[in-house]
Structure formats: structure tokens, C-alpha cells
Amino acid sequence: MHRAAVYARLGNADRAYQKIQLLINNLTYHNLWIDGPPFQIDASYGYTAGMSEMLIQSNTDAIKFLPAIPNEWENGSV
């Protein structure tokens, strides 16, 4: 599991967002694949896993909507 997903699952929204921003701003090509070396497909999937964990979690008997929303995402709706 990518660090962004781990932080999101732990409820540390701002740290998860920081890891996603690191991936997007520093390690991502225009086609959203992650630079290596070598090419890292697990990091590309880690981005989507982290984002998914920030928006919805179902690792217990209940489904949690928006469990790890960072301060930078001030507005939004489901």
C-alpha cells in the first residue's frame, strides 16, 4: 500500500495530501505515469489508492464517506 493510502486510512488527511502532491508535482509524467528509475507502476496505482482512501473507506463493517479530507479541500459535496 502506498504511503498516501496508509496516511489516509489512519485519518492523517494533510499528510496523505502531501504525499499525493509529491507524486503529482515531482514524479509524474503528463500521462500520469510515475517516473522511476525504473518505471514504477506500483506508485502510479498508489496515487489512486491514496485518493480513494481519502474519499471513501470500507475496511470495517461500516462505509465511511470523506474520512480523510485535507484542509486544502475546503469545499465539496457528495
Side-chain angles (χ1 to χ4, degrees):
M1 186 179 294
H2 190 268
R3 288 182 182 142
V6 172
Y7 285 121
R9 182 157 303 178
L10 293 173
N12 192 339
D14 292 321
R15 188 76 170 149
Y17 181 74
Q18 180 184 31
K19 292 297 180 185
I20 287 175
Q21 287 297 346
L22 176 71
L23 278 172
I24 292 295
N25 294 329
N26 299 325
L27 301 172
T28 305
Y29 294 124
H30 293 291
N31 63 0
L32 297 179
W33 291 104
I34 305 298
D35 184 17
F39 171 73
Q40 298 289 318
I41 196 155
D42 57 330
S44 298
Y45 292 145
Y47 166 80
T48 56
M51 187 66 67
S52 297
E53 288 286 334
M54 293 171 80
L55 298 175
I56 188 169
Q57 293 180 9
S58 63
N59 53 347
T60 61
D61 291 337
I63 296 174
K64 297 178 188 177
F65 293 100
L66 307 176
I69 300 301
N71 293 328
E72 286 82 3
W73 296 352
E74 297 175 4
N75 301 314
S77 62
V78 175

